[in-house]
Amino acid sequence: MDYSKMCPKYESAAELLGKKWTGLIIRVLLGGPKRFKDIKEQIPEMSDKMLTDRMKELEASGILTRTVYPEMPVRIEYELTEKGRHLDEVIHSIQNWGENWM
Amino acid sequence: MDYSKMCPKYESAAELLGKKWTGLIIRVLLGGPKRFKDIKEQIPEMSDKMLTDRMKELEASGILTRTVYPEMPVRIEYELTEKGRHLDEVIHSIQNWGENWM
């Protein structure tokens, strides 16, 4: 097998998943679209700033979308894209290994 | 589900896998025990120092063992532990997602 070809895409994916809180945020969003405060409620130990930063990174990576509903007050929802939803299996796989071996 | 329980073990596992070269080294070792120079040959872009550092980390994490054979010259082999071999599925899962979506 050509290992040099494995490298860049694997490394990008693993780096993204290895960032603190990212797996947890994706896991919460696998349950469906959520507002900022709903995500926050499920991961109370994470600061607002950290959640904001991670959400921006995940939006930039095409893992989630941010939709603004022009209501009063404005409603903003975060939702996984197809790319993000396909991380389900990957995250479960890391989680299973972690539970058995870490 | 209790997300706080998911956190530490998932994060440790994902952080380990997210380090540059780690996935690649494990993938090479999934092919069987190897000597330092054999791993190096398969990942020529990685420096000796980087490979040495990663191998030490992976040994400390219980992912691989380092065996010294008292021959002349001394032979040193690196081999995945059971914990390390079980990363096979995880790495394939990250790799597949990366290939499809990155």
Side-chain angles (χ1 to χ4, degrees), chain B residues 10 15 17 22 24 39 44 46 54 63 66 72 81 91:
Chain B
Y10 174 88
E15 194 188 337
L17 292 164
T22 295
L24 211 43
I39 303 168
M46 180 176 41
R54 284 289 175 272
I63 305 286
R66 178 180 182 274
M72 283 293 273
T81 59
I91 288 175

Side-chain angles (χ1 to χ4, degrees), chain A residues 1 3-7 9-24 27-29 31 42-43 45 61 63 82-87 89-102, chain B residues 1 3-7 9-24 27-29 31 42-43 45 61 63 82-87 89-102:
Chain A
M1 113 141 240
Y3 290 100
S4 62
K5 278 208 181 139
M6 173 193 174
C7 203
K9 289 186 172 187
Y10 174 89
E11 301 281 359
S12 312
E15 194 188 337
L16 184 133
L17 292 165
K19 284 201 174 177
K20 196 162 167 57
W21 304 114
T22 294
L24 211 43
R27 193 116 169 197
V28 170
L29 287 173
Q42 301 218 36
I43 321 175
E45 318 89 75
S61 305
I63 306 284
E82 199 189 346
K83 179 177 179 175
R85 284 193 300 276
H86 273 88
L87 281 170
E89 191 211 329
V90 183
I91 287 174
H92 273 94
S93 163
I94 298 173
Q95 173 72 4
N96 284 342
W97 183 83
E99 271 170 16
N100 287 321
W101 297 99
M102 293 302 264
Chain B
M1 112 142 239
Y3 290 101
S4 63
K5 279 208 181 138
M6 173 194 172
C7 201
K9 290 185 172 189
Y10 174 88
E11 301 280 0
S12 312
E15 194 188 337
L16 185 133
L17 292 164
K19 285 201 172 177
K20 196 161 165 59
W21 305 114
T22 295
L24 211 43
R27 192 115 171 199
V28 170
L29 287 174
Q42 302 218 37
I43 320 174
E45 318 89 73
S61 305
I63 305 286
E82 201 190 342
K83 179 177 179 175
R85 284 192 300 276
H86 274 88
L87 281 169
E89 191 212 329
V90 183
I91 288 175
H92 273 94
S93 163
I94 298 173
Q95 174 71 4
N96 284 343
W97 183 84
E99 270 170 18
N100 287 322
W101 297 99
M102 293 301 266

Side-chain angles (χ1 to χ4, degrees), chain B residues 21-52:
Chain B
W21 305 114
T22 295
L24 211 43
I25 295 169
I26 294 169
R27 192 115 171 199
V28 170
L29 287 174
L30 281 167
K34 298 269 183 302
R35 299 171 71 166
F36 191 91
K37 71 171 178 53
D38 300 328
I39 303 168
K40 197 55 191 128
E41 263 173 30
Q42 302 218 37
I43 320 174
E45 318 89 73
M46 180 176 41
S47 73
D48 279 12
K49 161 129 184 39
M50 181 60 87
L51 180 53
T52 305

Side-chain angles (χ1 to χ4, degrees), chain A residues 20-66:
Chain A
K20 196 162 167 57
W21 304 114
T22 294
L24 211 43
I25 295 168
I26 294 169
R27 193 116 169 197
V28 170
L29 287 173
L30 282 168
K34 298 268 182 304
R35 299 171 73 164
F36 191 90
K37 70 171 179 56
D38 301 328
I39 304 169
K40 198 52 192 127
E41 264 172 28
Q42 301 218 36
I43 321 175
E45 318 89 75
M46 181 175 41
S47 72
D48 279 13
K49 161 131 183 38
M50 180 60 86
L51 180 53
T52 305
D53 289 354
R54 284 289 174 274
M55 298 303 263
K56 280 185 187 160
E57 285 166 14
L58 292 171
E59 193 183 355
S61 305
I63 306 284
L64 58 80
T65 55
R66 178 180 183 275

